[in-house]
Structures are given as C-alpha cells and as structure tokens.
Amino acid sequence: DTEDDGALSGPSSWAQSGEPYTRYAAMKPAVDEMEIHNLWTTLRPVRRGLVVAGRLASRKQGEAVLRLADTLGWPLLPDVGSQVRLGADSKGLAAHYDALLAGDSFAQAHAPEAVVHVGGRALSKRLEQFLSRSRPDPYVVVRENPFRLDPAHCVTHSVEADILDFCAALARAATEDPPATNASWTAGWREASAEVGRHLDGILSGEPNEPLVARVVSQNVPQGHGLVVASSMPVRDLDTHAAADGAPVPVASNRGASGIDGTVATAAGFARGLGRPVTLLIGDLALLHDLNSLAMLRDIQVVVVVLNNDGGGIFSFLPVARHEEFFEPYFGTPQGVGFEPAAKMFGLDYERPATTAEFIEAYGSACARASSTLLEVKTDREQNVALHRRVLEEVAALVEKA
Ligand SMILES: Cc1ncc(C[n+]2csc(CCOP(=O)(O)OP(=O)(O)O)c2C)c(N)n1
C-alpha cells in the first residue's frame, strides 16, 4: 500500500545513488598556534626524545608523523597500525623497537627524556612498560578524539587535534626555531633496529614458523595490495618481526589486539573499500570463528594465510600454560581441523606449503591470480612460544653488546 511505498522510497534512492545513507561530517579540532608555540618551548631543549606513531588512519597521517620525527631529529617508533611500520624511510626509523626493548640494558640505556605519541594506542606491551618505567616528561599524546589515552598514567600533555595539521604545525615551529640536535641518540636507535632486522633475517629461516611467515609476508606482499592481521599472534608477529623494507601497504587489524570475531569479513570489507587485493594473516580459531565469511571472498581477491597451530597460540605465552590439566580443554582449545574442505566449499584455491620456499612460491602465485586463495601453514604452539623466547633472548644478547 501507499504507506509501504513511502517507507521504501528512502532506501531505494540510497540504493541507486551509490552514496552513504547518512553522511557524517568530519569535524576535527583545529590546531591552536599558541598551544603549538608553548609545546615547542617545552620540547625544544630535549636531547633524548622519541616519536611514537600509534594507530593511524592512513599512510598520509603516518608519513606526516614520520616527517615530524625527521624534523625534530628524533627516532621514530612505528606501531604495526601506524601505516609506516612497513616500507617507510626515515632518518630515525626504529622499526624493530619492540624486539629491541626486550634487551634490558638497551632499554635502561635508552630511556627517553620526552615522548611525542601521535595516534591511537600502540600494541607493544614492552613499549608501554618501558615508557612507564622511564617516566618521560614531557609526554605528549596527540589524537583526533577526546578519549583518554594514558595507559601508563604518565601523560603530561594531551592534545586533541587533526593529526596532519598538528604534525605540520609542530614541524613548522621546529624548523623556525631548530632544536639542539643529538645525532648519536637517533643513530643509536636506528642502527640497533637495523641490526635486529639483519639478525632476524639470519635466524628466521628453515621450516615455516609463525614469526617467519609474518616476516616473509611483509617482504613479499605486493605493492598495491593491503594487509589484514588477525588477533592474537599475527598482529603481534607483524609488529615485532616484519621487515622494514617491504612494500608500503595499508595495514588493518580489529579492535586493538583483542577480538577474534569477524576477521574474514574485515578482510573482505578492507579489500572492497580499498579496491585492492588483500592478504589476511589469521590463526585457525579466528578463521573458524568467521568461516562463513569466506563466502564473501568469491568475487574479490583475498589471500588467506592461515597459521594452523591447532588452537589459540597466544595462551601458551601465559603462566596458565603450565597447568596442563585444564590448559588444553579451556585455553588451547584444539579443534583438530584442516581447511581444505572449507576452501573447496567456498570455491577458493587451496594450497598447503610445507617448506618456506614452497610458501613463498604459493604466496606469489596467489597474489598474482585474480581470485581468492587459502594457504594453510601448519605450525606448533609449543615450538612457537619457545621460538619467540629464543628470538628475543638472542636479540637482547645482540643489543647488549652494541
Ligand atoms: C569473539 C572472541 N572470542 C574469544 C576470544 C578470546 N580469544 C582471544 S585470542 C584467542 C585465540 C585465537 O586463536 P587463533 O585464532 O588460532 O590465533 P593464535 O592465538 O594462534 O594466533 C581467543 C579464543 C576473543 N578475543 N574474541
């Protein structure tokens, strides 16, 4: 009847227009020049400062933070979600800061006087603990929303501002009234990080394992693609082990490092939104949790790399892992499944590479074809936790000598 016609006229014009049903105006707080001046007066004398690039919305924002760090002459610590963790070029780039901070004496010798953190919360727990112990003052956080961002309770200046405008304004102030440079401080971070990168290339080899697959994906993801990393270990492995010199692809992850729901759907949406092929690095439980979203990959190109360690690998890092009687049934929760039948059901190409060389080959072929592929890599939870610990011990020993 006519009432129904009226109700449907809204959605039908929306369906035809290709525009959002409701448009949200992107109002952002303007940068106040006086505040910038005061901030620069506080930051200018700092000799040992750090710029942290937290979670950021675009490569453009990430590059603005990177340029700010370069103008200040300070090291840049880029979170996995900063959009400049991969393929960035900066004089002070310390892409492997998370692994570096596993070295106690490196961390003690590199406590910063000041921090400028731009963007959302960073993933690295080691960074949070390091900053909480070092208590830098000033400690400035800058983000585009009014919500509190102070996990270690030591922020001295909280700024809500448009990130591009803020970075440009502070960089301008620093150019007009340059800081005293401390090249050895910045070079110390950059060189230690580069050394960690070379070391990771040396030790992450042989049979495929989770940090190795994360590093290999970061090195082989094609320019023009996007990358989605699932909770729990893939996002952490990319943060810690990704190479710094891969393609500068956009990176997405869900809700910090917590939720495992809807991750395949996220990858489908990311691919559609970007209009690019996407690689999804995901664990077996997160993939099982959102298995029916594989149906959405049929007419786009998503390369699903599933690290099948038969359960929740993250939990093996917790003290509860020692309590065997309830660890497996309640935390590990192995499901004993392989994903080949699921790939078949949803019409995806499928491969199960057994060696790293086979993985690189299969990943390259999957990226080169227009349809979606599921690549399954078998790993082992106990070996995974032992490997992570060994890698960090080796890195700590390496930077101890530096
Ligand atoms: C919806 C939802 N359910 C449960 C959890 C708790 N949880 C966090 S990590 C995790 C295990 C994830 O396992 P997997 O996807 O195989 O990845 P891995 O830990 O091995 O990297 C679980 C169950 C969660 N975060 N979200």
Side-chain angles (χ1 to χ4, degrees), residues 162-216:
D162 179 275
I163 283 174
L164 297 179
D165 291 349
F166 173 87
C167 290
L170 191 60
R172 220 167 22 245
T175 308
E176 282 163 13
D177 183 15
T181 52
N182 186 354
S184 66
W185 162 253
T186 303
W189 278 89
R190 185 192 60 227
E191 281 158 20
S193 171
E195 198 174 350
V196 171
R198 286 190 293 275
H199 189 69
L200 289 180
D201 278 330
I203 56 175
L204 294 177
S205 57
E207 289 304 291
N209 57 61
E210 298 183 25
L212 175 60
V213 169
R215 191 161 175 88
V216 163

Side-chain angles (χ1 to χ4, degrees), residues 34-57:
M34 200 57 205
E35 288 284 357
I36 293 288
H37 173 79
N38 292 342
L39 199 55
W40 183 236
T41 306
T42 313
L43 293 172
R44 192 181 170 282
V46 168
R47 306 272 303 163
R48 295 157 61 96
L50 293 177
V51 173
V52 175
R55 197 178 171 98
L56 293 165

